[in-house]
Amino acid sequence: MKVLQFPLARITFGFILGILFPFYLKTNPIVVFILLIVSIITFSSFYYLSIKNYTKNVYFGISTYVLSFFIGATTLIVHTDNYQKSNYIHYNSIFEKPHLISVTLREKLKSSNFNDRYVALVNHIDQTENSGRILLNIRKDSLNHQIEIGTQLRIRGTLYKNSPPYNPNQFDYSNYLENKQIYAQLYADAEDISVSSEIDKNIWYYTSRLRTKIIHNLEKNNFHKTELNVAVALIMGQQQDISPEIIRDYQYAGAVHILSVSGLHIGFILLFVTFILKPLPNTKRGSFIKLIIILASLSLFGLIAGLAPSVVRSVVMFSFVAIGSHLRRSVNIYHTLLVSMLLILLFQPSFLFDVGFQLSYIALFFIIWLQPLLTSIWLPKNKISKYIWDILTVSFAAQIGTLPLSIYYFHQFPGLFFVTNLIIIPLLSIVMVLGVVVMVLAAFGYVPLLLSKPLEWSVFYLNKIINSIASLEQFIIQNIPFNLYFLISFYLIIISAVLWFKKPSFNKLAMILISFILLQISYIENESDIQNQEEWVVFNSKKNTLITERNGKKITLYGNDSILKTCQTNNILTSYLVGNFSTLETKKRIQNTAFFNGKKILILDSLGIYPKNIKPDVLLLTQSPKINLERLFQSIHPKIVVADASNYKTLQKYWKATCYKQKIPFHATGEKGFYKLN
């Protein structure tokens, strides 16, 4: 791969490895900074010696990559909030009792059924100055008040640490928030909040006001709400108000990427602004003015779109393309890609762990690298055929590149992605051009019906097309088991196969065969591990008790009639099956007793009936049984008491206190998550 021959590629690779180093190994910051100083001294020494021809350039090259590694490591540490002494997680008793917390609203998130959700910056806790980000949940009231971004609030409440998944193999929302530097959540009712008249009028405030003004002006002109929400997502990257049904349709159709502003959208903006600036002369001064306007337009658009990772990446990359065009130089697209990635990660290293950022860069790399190879398969002479073929090859290149990573994260594959892209890209170009014009005019309070109605109709038909494709569910492959070893193996196969097709050789063919062998080894190792596993799991399910017994890949489900009938659509169970490469073999009703690996389990439900003279290892309480636990302990002596989430919380508190008094371990799934016996 020629791209790996670029020194910048190796420097970027070393920088990325440096970011991963403290993230996963949780290294001591002082040690990392000492190693950075040592690497700087080493780099400087070899640089001086290489100039004087006292040593080989290879040592200077190695020292450069080592230095890039430790710059990456220190960059992550500097930009990670929990390393800062002022961060609220270092405040004594912050998670133990209520405090008076002063915050500034930074970003509006998608609301839940019960709460309006914001990212907020901590200013003070009680009388102490602090910093850090929290997730603020404000309970919705009948008036449904919206609070402006930049508003300062004073709230008396308790911060709660992000909770890990309460059921196995579920999405780790806690980890997702921590990657965004959010380590706690705060829940508050509207009447408990004191709103300050002072507003922090920074760039976030003004861009939020601008978005609000645009949306308000469009609403005043009777722009249909459903189409407006999708248009705002397409043009400004704001998905907060799109219904879950529409998002699901876009996911199933393989078009969810167009709801997040990315390279496709920024490319349209660049072409549109360049077209508008055509009347300006191509003199040195005129070209410079064009460049300034283009860079300002792209930067402003990025701010309005909320500076999401995909937006930042695209704005930075196309800004370099514009600069290269101004300098009259042919821009090496690989260098542009690497420089944009390095620059973004230098200021926001946490973007590396953003799924959208990863998919965006991989898709773009494969379009650049693989699409020319696919295009060479057929060279149509007809313009329409060439246009369709170009769209197909771009779609296939991006999909091939992102397929393993998409399956790894989402465990599904939209089979009609190529049909979707073939149909929607021409329509999307119309939506983007109309949308940019309409929203620029709306920012000035002018929304011409001649433009807004075609935009509304275009979005309406776009949604209809997406819905029609998504309704063909037989083409949507879901619940695909996939782990990290499969991910690496598949990328090795794809990369080695593309290299061979580009320039066949024996070594490259051997690489393909080795990649397939590694995939087979991964599969055999995974199968062996699973076949040797046995576990009995009580899930954290609120309404109904859910228990599984797994022997290898075979799972037996225990539950009441409601659980047994709806198990095929139960998300908790589905995640568990996919995560363990397992299949549901048997369904049984829950009995009072169960046995697993020599351990006896007594299960008490709402009836509170149990066999006499039983000495269980585990006592499982479900459906709020009316029992006197102290009296029960006199006849049975369990080693541990487990209560699932189907019990009343008041009863669980009583049981916990009773177990503490009797010195018997107590496990509540609503507090500690699922319970597992191996």
Side-chain angles (χ1 to χ4, degrees):
M1 292 175 68
K2 290 183 180 179
V3 65
L4 294 179
Q5 296 173 9
F6 301 151
L8 184 61
R10 295 194 284 268
I11 289 171
T12 305
F13 185 66
F15 185 83
I16 290 172
L17 286 178
I19 292 175
L20 297 173
F21 177 63
F23 182 82
Y24 287 108
L25 298 182
K26 309 298 180 186
T27 49
N28 189 321
I30 296 174
V31 174
V32 174
F33 280 106
I34 291 172
L35 291 173
L36 173 65
I37 294 169
V38 172
S39 64
I40 292 172
I41 294 170
T42 306
F43 169 80
S44 303
S45 302
F46 280 119
Y47 176 70
Y48 175 79
L49 292 173
S50 65
I51 291 176
K52 298 294 184 180
N53 293 322
Y54 293 148
T55 185
K56 294 181 180 178
N57 285 334
V58 65
Y59 299 117
F60 170 67
I62 293 171
S63 67
T64 303
Y65 305 138
V66 171
L67 177 61
S68 68
F69 176 88
F70 286 109
I71 290 175
T74 51
T75 299
L76 181 75
I77 290 172
V78 168
H79 287 87
T80 302
D81 288 352
N82 63 2
Y83 285 113
Q84 313 303 321
K85 289 185 178 179
S86 62
N87 191 270
Y88 60 83
I89 63 171
H90 303 297
Y91 188 91
N92 292 332
S93 73
I94 186 62
F95 299 113
E96 297 172 7
K97 60 182 182 181
H99 296 272
L100 184 61
I101 303 170
S102 171
V103 300
T104 301
L105 299 187
R106 163 58 65 85
E107 181 184 353
K108 177 75 170 71
L109 301 178
K110 190 176 182 67
S111 298
S112 66
N113 292 333
F114 305 105
N115 300 306
D116 289 320
R117 300 163 67 244
Y118 300 85
V119 174
L121 304 180
V122 174
N123 301 320
H124 293 87
I125 297 176
D126 296 328
Q127 303 302 317
T128 307
E129 189 173 336
N130 287 92
S131 65
R133 297 180 175 211
I134 63 169
L135 184 62
L136 176 61
N137 300 271
I138 301 176
R139 189 172 296 279
K140 293 179 178 178
D141 58 12
S142 57
L143 300 177
N144 196 24
H145 291 127
Q146 295 293 324
I147 308 176
E148 272 191 312
I149 298 302
T151 303
Q152 296 188 15
L153 309 176
R154 297 181 71 192
I155 308 167
R156 178 162 291 280
T158 304
L159 285 178
Y160 294 94
K161 285 184 179 180
N162 299 329
S163 301
Y166 278 6
N167 285 303
N169 308 110
Q170 283 195 319
F171 173 66
D172 193 343
Y173 189 58
S174 169
N175 185 60
Y176 170 80
L177 290 177
E178 287 189 12
N179 287 341
K180 293 183 175 294
Q181 313 287 326
I182 298 172
Y183 306 107
Q185 298 192 47
L186 177 62
Y187 294 85
D189 292 319
E191 59 268 19
D192 298 330
I193 298 173
S194 173
V195 181
S196 172
S197 58
E198 184 180 350
I199 295 179
D200 187 7
K201 295 185 178 181
N202 54 22
I203 191 67
W204 305 100
Y205 166 78
Y206 288 110
T207 54
S208 175
R209 285 290 300 270
L210 181 59
R211 286 196 300 266
T212 303
K213 183 179 180 180
I214 291 170
I215 294 169
H216 178 67
N217 287 334
L218 289 171
E219 286 176 339
K220 278 201 310 182
N221 282 268
N222 300 317
F223 204 106
H224 194 272
K225 187 67 175 174
T226 302
E227 282 70 42
L228 176 60
N229 292 337
V230 174
V232 167
L234 291 171
I235 311 301
M236 296 191 292
Q238 304 298 308
Q239 301 181 32
Q240 294 93 326
D241 298 319
I242 300 182
S243 69
E245 292 77 20
I246 289 179
I247 290 179
R248 184 192 61 210
D249 285 346
Y250 276 77
Q251 287 174 338
Y252 284 2
V256 71
H257 60 282
I258 73 170
L259 293 177
S260 300
V261 174
S262 60
L264 181 66
H265 304 70
I266 304 299
F268 277 127
I269 300 295
L270 179 60
L271 290 173
F272 182 66
V273 175
T274 305
F275 175 77
I276 291 175
L277 297 176
K278 260 193 174 182
L280 284 176
N282 283 325
T283 60
K284 189 175 181 180
R285 185 179 179 183
S287 179
F288 182 72
I289 293 172
K290 282 184 181 180
L291 176 65
I292 296 301
I293 294 174
I294 287 171
L295 295 180
S297 301
L298 294 180
S299 300
L300 179 60
F301 183 82
L303 286 169
I304 293 172
L307 290 180
S310 59
V311 178
V312 172
R313 186 269 305 166
S314 303
V315 167
V316 172
M317 194 193 70
F318 279 102
S319 296
F320 276 102
V321 171
I323 292 169
S325 177
H326 168 71
L327 297 174
R328 303 289 196 276
R329 295 177 182 175
S330 66
V331 181
N332 186 305
I333 192 64
Y334 290 115
H335 273 117
T336 304
L337 198 65
L338 291 168
V339 169
S340 67
M341 180 187 291
L342 195 59
L343 195 62
I344 291 166
L345 294 179
L346 196 60
F347 290 96
Q348 286 289 351
S350 61
F351 277 9
L352 181 63
F353 309 102
D354 184 271
V355 177
F357 182 86
Q358 296 170 14
L359 289 171
S360 184
Y361 264 101
I362 288 174
L364 192 53
F365 171 76
F366 271 86
I367 289 171
I368 297 166
W369 186 51
L370 179 58
Q371 198 256 348
L373 177 64
L374 297 176
T375 305
S376 65
I377 296 172
W378 179 44
L379 299 174
K381 296 179 181 178
N382 184 284
K383 285 187 177 181
I384 297 176
S385 300
K386 187 178 184 305
Y387 175 75
I388 294 172
W389 180 239
D390 285 343
I391 292 177
L392 283 175
T393 52
V394 168
S395 299
F396 272 111
Q399 199 68 48
I400 289 170
T402 57
L403 179 61
L405 198 62
S406 298
I407 295 175
Y408 176 72
Y409 282 121
F410 308 116
H411 301 285
Q412 68 178 28
F413 172 67
L416 293 177
F417 71 91
F418 57 93
V419 175
T420 303
N421 286 302
L422 190 63
I423 296 172
I424 68 168
I425 286 180
L427 186 55
L428 182 63
S429 61
I430 297 171
V431 171
M432 287 297 299
V433 171
L434 281 173
V436 170
V437 174
V438 168
M439 292 192 184
V440 167
L441 293 174
F444 294 97
Y446 176 61
V447 184
L449 199 64
L450 188 64
L451 294 176
S452 64
K453 276 302 171 185
L455 175 61
E456 184 180 334
W457 295 334
S458 299
V459 176
F460 173 79
Y461 286 113
L462 179 65
N463 288 342
K464 281 291 183 184
I465 292 168
I466 294 294
N467 178 261
S468 299
I469 296 172
S471 64
L472 302 171
E473 295 188 9
Q474 61 269 32
F475 292 99
I476 303 164
I477 306 170
Q478 295 179 296
N479 303 325
I480 306 171
F482 210 73
N483 61 22
L484 181 61
Y485 300 111
F486 287 0
L487 175 69
I488 296 170
S489 301
F490 269 97
Y491 270 120
L492 286 174
I493 291 172
I494 292 171
I495 292 170
S496 57
V498 174
L499 288 172
W500 186 84
F501 277 111
K502 280 180 173 284
K503 194 174 181 181
S505 70
F506 175 78
N507 289 338
K508 292 174 183 176
L509 181 61
M511 189 190 299
I512 295 175
L513 296 175
I514 291 170
S515 300
F516 273 104
I517 291 170
L518 289 174
L519 176 62
Q520 290 175 327
I521 291 172
S522 300
Y523 178 78
I524 293 169
E525 181 68 22
N526 184 66
E527 288 288 303
S528 176
D529 287 344
I530 291 173
Q531 290 297 341
N532 293 325
Q533 291 174 1
E534 293 182 348
E535 59 186 24
W536 191 85
V537 180
V538 180
F539 292 83
N540 182 55
S541 179
K542 290 185 178 180
K543 294 182 179 180
N544 298 292
T545 300
L546 176 60
I547 302 170
T548 60
E549 181 179 339
R550 181 164 72 89
N551 291 291
K553 298 180 73 171
K554 298 179 180 179
I555 288 182
T556 301
L557 170 66
Y558 297 94
N560 57 23
D561 290 337
S562 176
I563 285 287
L564 299 181
K565 288 178 182 177
T566 61
C567 62
Q568 299 298 330
T569 57
N570 189 298
N571 292 328
I572 295 174
L573 181 61
T574 300
S575 298
Y576 182 69
L577 293 173
V578 173
N580 290 283
F581 294 77
S582 303
T583 54
L584 183 60
E585 291 286 324
T586 313
K587 297 185 288 186
K588 296 181 180 179
R589 285 186 57 83
I590 297 176
Q591 303 297 320
N592 286 122
T593 56
F595 299 88
F596 180 78
N597 279 357
K599 293 181 179 178
K600 191 183 299 182
I601 303 153
L602 174 61
I603 304 172
L604 285 185
D605 56 17
S606 58
L607 298 176
I609 300 172
Y610 62 93
K612 303 297 181 182
N613 302 320
I614 186 172
K615 304 293 182 182
D617 296 286
V618 179
L619 172 61
L620 173 59
L621 303 172
T622 70
Q623 306 297 323
S624 304
K626 297 177 181 178
I627 54 169
N628 186 312
L629 203 57
E630 289 187 7
R631 190 181 305 160
L632 182 63
F633 285 162
Q634 293 175 4
S635 57
I636 66 170
H637 302 280
K639 295 178 181 177
I640 185 172
V641 175
V642 179
D644 72 0
S646 66
N647 298 288
Y648 296 130
K649 289 185 178 180
T650 51
L651 280 177
Q652 292 186 51
K653 289 181 181 179
Y654 163 71
W655 293 337
K656 184 177 181 179
T658 304
C659 288
Y660 179 79
K661 184 178 178 182
Q662 297 289 331
K663 296 182 179 180
I664 297 174
F666 180 76
H667 183 108
T669 62
E671 181 182 338
K672 298 180 179 180
F674 64 96
Y675 176 75
K676 181 169 70 174
L677 280 175
N678 291 318

